[in-house]
Amino acid sequence: MKTQNSLIRIITRVEGLPVFGVLLLLLLAFLITAPDVFTHPLIYMSFLQTVPPQLVLGLGLTLIITAGEIDMSFPAIVALSGFVFSYFFKNFDSPYAVWIGFFLALAAGALVGYTNGLLIAKLGVPSIMATLAAQFFWYGITILLAGGLQVDIGRVESTSVHDIFTGRLFDIVPAQAIWSLGLAVLLWFILNRHKFGEAIMFIGDNPNVARVMGIDVEATKIKLFTLMGVIAAFAGLLLTIEINVFFPTQGSGFMLGVMAAVFIGGTLISGGQGSIVGTLFGAYIIGSLQAGVVATGVTSYWVQSVMGLIMVVAVVINVVIGEGRMGDISFRLPQWANINRNKPPEVPPQRQ
Amino acid sequence: MTNDPVQPYAVQLINIEKYFGSVCALKNINFNVEKNEIVGLIGDNGAGKSTLVKILTGVFPPSSGQMFISGNQVDFTKYSVQQAHAMGIETVYQDKSLGEKQVLWRNFFVGREITYPFGFINVKKEKEIAKEIMLNTIGFRSKGITVNSKVSKLSGGERQGVAIGRAMYFDAELIILDEPTVALSLKEVRKVLNFVHKIKEAGKACIYISHDIQDVYEISDRFIVIDRGEIISSIQKKDITLIALDDFLLEYAHGLKDGE
Ligand SMILES: Nc1ncnc2c1ncn2[C@@H]1O[C@H](COP(=O)(O)OP(=O)(O)OP(=O)(O)O)[C@@H](O)[C@H]1O
Ligand SMILES: [Mg+2]
């Protein structure tokens, strides 16, 4: 019992460890069911190539959800940034066109995020409404600007931007995997070791507490949404540069998968606590599911159901561990088989 | 009242008024708190106590009036929570003082982190000091609670202890407690009152707001009674017994009813 408890404590202490366990189990399951595919390094390289844009989005969204907010506009930003980049890259006659396009795309993301932030922090529009409206609006604008057409930017392959962000390190490791990992490290330090991150956690926990402790809640939210805009634009850039083409619907399939990655990772929907490490593994869980289930030979119809199942398992594990009820549960398991059990009251310290 | 220039008041309010739109929440508020005086602020729901606290602590400015902190006039156009902290005013609220899902060491320093360059937090230093505050300033001996514990693990009284200890560590001249004992059990209330005694021992001033007259009576040196935005009475503890104070408040409330 003692050793069991200390083991539980270790598991709960190390950030993201349970999610990492889920990822390992998943890969193990794939290794058994589709050994041909999963003993070959190619599949892992392909994960490192396809997961980063969603991972980058998930990292930004982790901060947003930790602050007790939500952002539904990132798919539109992914499209907008891809369009801005391809447009300027194609139509700007300058050797620096690729960099101009790159930074203008980030700026476009910042602009969308900033206006989201203004609506939410200054006018008090709930973030789910403000960003849902932004999603429609900016997605519409992008389609209009692009005339509904894709933009081919094959020439981007010979540019420095392409080599730096989506090249192959040692000819095998996709650069975007390194960039997204680097961003994860940076954002981990921002969230857990910087006063901006501390402000985010306290705002998500209780904005009134944050305010009376001297945090500028409004300014922090505006900065946060602007940052999310830039991060989403960066995800859009990774996507567009990797596949050498902008297509207007890019990013539109990301919404649910990215959210699932964040929640699988253990970030609380109620705010106040977020796990960057969890999101990192969560994104790879989601990414490997899509490719992995297909590789196992079962029909791709299974993907969604398996995803839902994994999400439930991960979230339950996180809830149990997060509330320190692991010991409780192993202790009470027999009791739970009885449907008519009386739920033990879980009274939080007295509150009015 | 003599205003000794050598020993200015911890805080002095002159003709403070506050309107929310056309609603008058405070009018003609004049009062002082001496250094090392504990003032009990009493009044019915909606009397304006919390509004007064928010003005004192820089959450919002008054519509008009002046305020001096330790003899220095406050410029309300620049006054903020941070500035109140810098001038030595700290507040402990019933439920707005601590982030519940956050660990204790973060709660001690949130809003005024000890940082390295570029705003990165010096976690080691913050934890050291938080530990020191818990042991020495507030005498926290609850076992199983460390600086790494989450607030949600603490009892209500312990939470207020943390908030009061934090205020004392930051060298507050005036600590304001706005209903710090709401919904606490008797045992927990006792803990909070003991923390308030420590404020007095440390030579600091305190404004204590509570609907529990017995607690207010025990803690305070003086009582200020506020009703519908106005101060109606200021009574030294030595001039009144608990029973007489209780009677006064009851009679006053009845008097109002009869008058209406
Ligand atoms: N932000 C606000 N906007 C408008 N009216 C307000 C605001 N804050 C307080 N009031 C009004 O000001 C009056 C005083 O409220 P206040 O919260 O100061 O009372 P209180 O004495 O603290 O009461 P309680 O004992 O219930 O806490 C009330 O009539 C309240 O409705
Ligand atoms: Mg009040």
Side-chain angles (χ1 to χ4, degrees):
Chain A
M1 193 70 197
K2 262 263 156 62
T3 51
Q4 185 193 352
N5 272 337
S6 62
L7 191 71
I8 287 165
R9 209 163 301 140
I10 290 170
I11 292 174
T12 57
R13 279 278 164 78
V14 180
E15 188 183 340
L17 198 59
V19 198
F20 183 62
V22 173
L23 178 60
L24 285 186
L25 282 179
L26 189 68
L27 292 179
L28 191 70
F30 285 145
L31 260 174
I32 294 166
T33 50
D36 292 352
V37 178
F38 279 87
T39 47
H40 202 285
L42 205 68
I43 183 87
Y44 300 101
M45 288 308 125
S46 115
F47 289 158
L48 294 182
Q49 176 190 331
T50 53
V51 172
Q54 301 190 57
L55 169 56
V56 166
L57 291 167
L59 294 172
L61 194 64
T62 302
L63 299 188
I64 296 272
I65 294 177
T66 304
E69 304 284 350
I70 190 73
D71 190 339
M72 315 266 283
S73 69
F74 61 83
I77 300 179
V78 167
L80 179 66
S81 99
F83 172 75
V84 170
F85 173 76
S86 351
Y87 180 84
F88 282 95
F89 174 64
K90 258 204 138 150
N91 298 311
F92 225 60
D93 190 20
S94 150
Y96 301 112
V98 69
W99 283 104
I100 291 169
F102 187 85
F103 284 107
L104 284 177
L106 292 182
L111 177 76
V112 176
Y114 181 70
T115 51
N116 283 344
L118 283 184
L119 283 173
I120 292 156
K122 291 286 178 199
L123 297 182
V125 182
S127 54
I128 189 163
M129 297 179 201
T131 58
L132 195 57
Q135 163 67 19
F136 282 115
F137 180 78
W138 292 106
Y139 187 58
I141 294 284
T142 305
I143 304 246
L144 274 175
L145 289 174
L149 300 172
Q150 65 178 53
V151 183
D152 203 336
I153 47 164
R155 277 191 303 119
V156 84
E157 285 219 34
S158 57
T159 64
S160 51
V161 164
H162 182 273
D163 293 346
I164 292 173
F165 292 100
T166 61
R168 295 288 178 268
L169 202 68
F170 312 122
D171 283 331
I172 42 169
V173 183
Q176 59 266 48
I178 312 286
W179 280 100
S180 55
L181 186 65
L183 185 69
V185 172
L186 177 71
L187 291 183
W188 186 91
F189 274 96
I190 297 277
L191 182 62
N192 297 290
R193 289 292 179 267
H194 194 275
K195 44 183 195 172
F196 181 63
E198 192 158 280
I200 288 175
M201 288 194 275
F202 274 82
I203 290 173
D205 199 331
N206 185 336
N208 290 323
V209 170
R211 207 165 276 126
V212 297
M213 289 317 295
I215 290 170
D216 189 336
V217 175
E218 281 68 37
T220 305
K221 281 189 186 173
I222 292 175
K223 277 187 218 157
L224 176 59
F225 275 93
T226 309
L227 177 67
M228 177 67 197
V230 175
I231 289 174
F234 183 60
L237 282 166
L238 290 184
L239 189 71
T240 307
I241 297 168
E242 166 70 31
I243 58 180
N244 301 332
V245 59
F246 156 80
F247 56 99
T249 55
Q250 75 177 41
S252 58
F254 284 168
M255 178 98 77
L256 298 178
V258 169
M259 285 189 186
V262 174
F263 292 129
I264 286 175
T267 295
L268 294 183
I269 179 78
S270 54
Q273 235 176 63
S275 171
I276 293 287
V277 181
T279 298
L280 174 69
F281 296 133
Y284 277 98
I285 288 176
I286 294 291
S288 53
L289 266 175
Q290 285 160 349
V293 172
V294 176
T296 58
V298 300
T299 72
S300 59
Y301 303 132
W302 276 96
V303 175
Q304 304 264 329
S305 303
V306 174
M307 214 148 118
L309 205 65
I310 299 238
M311 188 165 162
V312 167
V313 170
V315 169
V316 167
I317 291 177
N318 283 324
V319 167
V320 167
I321 286 180
E323 297 183 0
R325 286 179 13 212
M326 194 84 150
D328 254 34
I329 283 188
S330 56
F331 181 66
R332 292 223 180 88
L333 221 48
Q335 231 171 298
W336 285 11
N338 179 3
I339 298 195
N340 292 324
R341 78 201 153 85
N342 285 323
K343 196 170 188 257
E346 287 192 28
V347 191
Q350 310 85 329
R351 204 83 326 192
Q352 214 182 25
Chain B
M1 264 189 271
T2 53
N3 192 349
D4 183 348
V6 189
Q7 271 282 51
Y9 295 113
V11 66
Q12 180 173 24
L13 297 179
I14 300 171
N15 283 329
I16 292 284
E17 291 196 323
K18 178 71 188 179
Y19 286 88
F20 291 109
S22 62
V23 179
C24 181
L26 291 174
K27 56 178 172 274
N28 200 19
I29 297 288
N30 289 286
F31 89 92
N32 318 311
V33 179
E34 311 257 3
K35 303 244 159 193
N36 202 18
E37 184 185 29
I38 307 229
V39 172
L41 195 57
I42 310 170
D44 227 330
N45 291 116
K49 305 180 296 295
S50 296
T51 306
L52 188 58
V53 168
K54 284 178 184 148
I55 291 170
L56 280 165
T57 54
V59 177
F60 48 58
S63 307
S64 66
Q66 289 175 298
M67 177 160 105
F68 294 83
I69 297 174
S70 301
N72 303 310
Q73 178 156 15
V74 168
D75 176 359
F76 280 116
T77 58
K78 296 199 194 102
Y79 197 51
S80 64
V81 175
Q82 264 110 347
Q83 231 215 316
H85 285 162
M87 294 179 83
I89 295 192
E90 297 278 338
T91 324
V92 175
Y93 294 94
Q94 173 208 337
D95 59 354
K96 289 202 285 282
S97 297
L98 305 173
E100 289 199 22
K101 293 176 198 160
Q102 314 304 324
V103 290
L104 283 182
W105 64 268
R106 283 193 192 275
N107 269 288
F108 277 108
F109 290 98
V110 61
R112 44 194 153 180
E113 293 83 357
I114 302 174
T115 54
Y116 297 117
F118 306 111
F120 285 95
I121 300 170
N122 186 339
V123 175
K124 193 163 165 256
K125 189 88 181 274
E126 287 198 357
K127 281 189 183 178
E128 266 170 32
I129 298 177
K131 203 167 165 183
E132 165 79 22
I133 302 172
M134 283 172 64
L135 268 177
N136 298 335
T137 312
I138 45 181
F140 228 75
R141 301 232 150 58
S142 195
K143 56 180 177 324
I145 290 177
T146 70
V147 291
N148 291 316
S149 303
K150 290 196 175 150
V151 171
S152 50
K153 267 181 69 178
L154 271 59
S155 76
E158 287 165 346
R159 292 177 197 206
Q160 298 302 46
V162 168
I164 293 171
R166 173 176 66 190
M168 285 166 74
Y169 169 76
F170 283 104
D171 218 19
E173 284 307 316
L174 174 68
I175 299 175
I176 302 172
L177 296 108
D178 191 351
E179 306 197 28
T181 59
V182 170
L184 295 188
S185 69
L186 282 178
K187 204 171 121 219
E188 296 296 314
V189 170
R190 181 46 42 203
K191 286 184 192 165
V192 175
L193 295 182
N194 288 340
F195 292 129
V196 179
H197 283 303
K198 285 197 196 275
I199 300 177
K200 178 81 179 172
E201 283 163 25
K204 312 294 187 188
C206 173
I207 296 178
Y208 186 89
I209 299 174
S210 170
H211 288 284
D212 189 315
I213 300 304
Q214 215 170 328
D215 293 350
V216 177
Y217 189 84
E218 173 189 330
I219 283 297
S220 309
D221 301 316
R222 182 160 59 101
F223 317 103
I224 289 180
V225 185
I226 178 166
D227 180 56
R228 285 175 292 177
E230 283 186 281
I231 293 179
I232 54 165
S233 180
S234 165
I235 316 164
Q236 293 288 340
K237 180 170 174 173
K238 59 178 163 49
D239 296 333
I240 195 166
T241 63
L242 172 59
I243 296 170
L245 179 65
D246 211 23
D247 283 348
F248 169 77
L249 294 171
L250 268 175
E251 267 168 41
Y252 187 80
H254 281 156
L256 280 182
K257 230 174 238 157
D258 297 344
E260 265 162 28

